[in-house]
Amino acid sequence: MTPAGRLGTGALFAAALGAQVLLQGPLERANAVRATRKLHTAPSSLAFRLAAAGVQEAAADALWLSVLPKLGRTWVDPERKAAWIESVTGVMTDANPRAVNPVIYAAYFLELGRKRHPAIERVVRRAMDAEVATPFAPRRRVNAEDHRLPEVLGMNLTMYGSAEEKARGLGLLEEAARKPGAPTILIDLVAAIRAKAGSPLAGWDLWLLRAADLSDPGLRRALHAVAGSDPGADPEGEPSHPEWRDQFLREADGARREVLRKWAGAAEQRLGRWPSSLEEVLAEAPPAERESWERNPARRAALAEGVEVLPATRDVVIGTLAEWQDAQTREFLRLLCRHHELTTGRKPASLRDLDAFPHRPVPPPARHGTRWELDPATGEPEVVNDMADPRLRAPSGPSLLGR
């Protein structure tokens, strides 16, 4: 090759290399866009179930395994992805309505794209309303007792919805909290939201309803009457999980006691003294709650049952709950004393000796004006009077009346 030919070849190669470098960026971006725009089409729900024949649940599981890796991929058009998620989730729900996890995942990924995407409610409602038919029984909703679906939808509506949607979301959270398998922290959440909205006894109601689902038929009807709800068909036989029922009833007592204490504090601000009777405490209830007592006297009677108002110690107590709480703390202190004795070879002389070992805080006795101490004769934990209890002192600062 002549020198001129070699020069021309080199120039052509350099030009091609330069063009490749210049085009690499646009081509790479175009390829990425083309890849993300790849059409994902969910199968027809009817065709999928016909093809699956008698193994619809297994086929739905297989479809879910193929869908799961794609949920986290980025699409150029988020709405196309949302439409695909809604479509394929509907196919899985129709094939296996009991499979709740795919629906929950779909709701979360839809929420990542848009906080209040309308498809969230559609996919969750589809699973909540899913029915199955059996040869010898009427159609029934298969997920009626699952708390996760109303919880997921309720949280989305409550956090990101309009005022009307937030109200519906709170109703769904309340529905979820009432279901037997729901985490009890849902009750605390709903109770706190309802309390801010002027319904301070919502927590009491929910704990009673959770206990009612585990109670014997007579008590179940009574608890539903107090909460003003429909018990539905009464169960037969012995109550299930009596220890859970008793714990739920104690939680209900704790919820109403805290509300009554807050009302007593409000009465103290209004009267300039601690209320001397339960009537003065109940006078601080919101108007809507007082109106409910006229329609349902059993509710007011249950609210007042076992309640003591103690002006001398600025306290409102429920005797049975106070005794149970003190019994639990007494057993805990006994264990600490036993640990101290096994570790040091001697019994503790006072409760201060127990601080030599790390332990969770010891709650004070349930009643104001008392404290825990060790009986010097037996070494047993006991409740003694304590006029230095800070709970006896009224809060400092001016009252609501400016006193």
Side-chain angles (χ1 to χ4, degrees), residues 249-288:
L249 290 174
R250 283 191 292 267
E251 293 286 356
D253 281 344
R256 69 179 170 117
R257 181 194 61 187
E258 292 312 306
V259 171
L260 290 171
R261 282 178 171 174
K262 288 180 181 179
W263 290 351
E268 182 182 35
Q269 295 288 324
R270 179 174 58 85
L271 300 171
R273 58 172 174 79
W274 193 260
S276 58
S277 67
L278 183 59
E279 292 300 324
E280 291 182 335
V281 174
L282 296 181
E284 300 298 324

Side-chain angles (χ1 to χ4, degrees), residues 174 178 201-210 212 219-232 288-289 291-303:
E174 194 168 49
R178 292 175 55 175
L201 288 171
W204 180 52
D205 291 335
L206 288 172
W207 284 117
L208 287 178
L209 293 173
R210 286 292 293 273
L219 181 57
R220 183 173 184 266
R221 284 191 294 271
L223 294 177
H224 275 283
V226 169
S229 62
D230 180 11
E289 180 63 34
E291 290 172 5
S292 74
W293 299 341
E294 297 178 5
R295 299 189 302 270
N296 186 7
R299 180 175 176 81
R300 187 187 185 284
L303 182 64

Side-chain angles (χ1 to χ4, degrees), residues 13-27:
F13 177 77
L17 182 62
Q20 182 179 0
V21 171
L22 291 173
L23 291 173
Q24 187 63 39
L27 286 174

Side-chain angles (χ1 to χ4, degrees), residues 113-129:
R114 198 202 311 177
K115 295 298 185 185
R116 185 63 198 97
H117 200 293
I120 297 173
E121 185 161 4
R122 289 195 293 265
V123 297
V124 175
R125 287 286 184 187
R126 187 167 184 163
M128 290 175 64
D129 297 337

Side-chain angles (χ1 to χ4, degrees), residues 11-349:
L12 184 61
F13 177 77
L17 182 62
Q20 182 179 0
V21 171
L22 291 173
L23 291 173
Q24 187 63 39
L27 286 174
E28 183 178 359
R29 289 192 294 273
N31 288 333
V33 169
R34 194 176 298 110
T36 55
R37 281 181 175 168
K38 181 181 178 182
L39 181 62
H40 293 272
T41 305
S44 161
S45 179
L46 177 59
F48 184 83
R49 283 176 285 144
L50 289 175
V55 290
Q56 289 186 23
E57 294 184 3
D61 290 343
L63 178 60
W64 170 237
L65 292 176
S66 69
V67 166
L68 187 57
K70 301 174 184 176
L71 288 176
R73 294 180 185 173
T74 302
W75 290 31
V76 170
D77 185 354
E79 285 304 312
R80 287 166 61 90
K81 180 179 180 180
W84 171 75
I85 291 176
E86 180 179 2
S87 177
V88 76
T89 305
V91 173
M92 289 186 288
T93 298
D94 292 344
N96 183 11
R98 294 182 180 84
V100 173
N101 283 338
V103 178
I104 295 174
Y105 271 70
Y108 286 155
F109 276 95
L110 287 168
E111 188 177 284
L112 287 174
R114 198 202 311 177
K115 295 298 185 185
R116 185 63 198 97
H117 200 293
I120 297 173
E121 185 161 4
R122 289 195 293 265
V123 297
V124 175
R125 287 286 184 187
R126 187 167 184 163
M128 290 175 64
D129 297 337
E131 295 182 338
V132 296
T134 57
F136 306 105
R139 298 180 66 87
R140 61 183 181 85
R141 292 170 56 196
V142 294
N143 297 316
E145 295 303 316
D146 196 303
H147 72 275
R148 293 171 293 174
L149 294 171
E151 179 184 351
V152 167
L153 180 56
M155 286 297 294
N156 180 263
L157 291 169
T158 303
M159 294 177 66
Y160 306 116
S162 63
E164 183 273 334
E165 289 174 331
K166 288 180 185 295
R168 287 198 296 116
L170 184 55
L172 285 166
L173 288 177
E174 194 168 49
E175 176 186 338
R178 292 175 55 175
K179 296 186 182 298
T184 54
I185 194 173
L186 264 181
I187 295 179
D188 297 333
L189 172 64
V190 173
I193 298 174
R194 289 288 192 197
K196 289 186 67 175
S199 301
L201 288 171
W204 180 52
D205 291 335
L206 288 172
W207 284 117
L208 287 178
L209 293 173
R210 286 292 293 273
D213 290 332
L214 300 170
S215 299
D216 60 85
L219 181 57
R220 183 173 184 266
R221 284 191 294 271
L223 294 177
H224 275 283
V226 169
S229 62
D230 180 11
D234 285 324
E236 297 180 357
E238 294 297 320
S240 59
H241 303 292
E243 68 282 358
W244 292 2
R245 177 200 61 192
D246 293 343
Q247 178 60 32
F248 291 164
L249 290 174
R250 283 191 292 267
E251 293 286 356
D253 281 344
R256 69 179 170 117
R257 181 194 61 187
E258 292 312 306
V259 171
L260 290 171
R261 282 178 171 174
K262 288 180 181 179
W263 290 351
E268 182 182 35
Q269 295 288 324
R270 179 174 58 85
L271 300 171
R273 58 172 174 79
W274 193 260
S276 58
S277 67
L278 183 59
E279 292 300 324
E280 291 182 335
V281 174
L282 296 181
E284 300 298 324
E289 180 63 34
R290 293 199 300 271
E291 290 172 5
S292 74
W293 299 341
E294 297 178 5
R295 299 189 302 270
N296 186 7
R299 180 175 176 81
R300 187 187 185 284
L303 182 64
E305 184 179 0
V307 174
E308 302 174 63
V309 179
L310 306 173
T313 55
R314 300 185 61 256
D315 201 4
V316 176
V317 299
I318 299 175
T320 54
L321 179 62
E323 292 171 6
W324 182 86
Q325 290 177 328
D326 285 349
Q328 299 302 303
T329 305
R330 184 175 289 106
E331 287 303 313
F332 175 57
L333 288 171
R334 284 172 177 163
L335 288 174
L336 292 179
C337 291
R338 182 61 176 160
H339 176 68
H340 183 280
E341 185 177 1
L342 291 174
T343 305
T344 65
R346 62 176 180 82
K347 293 183 177 182

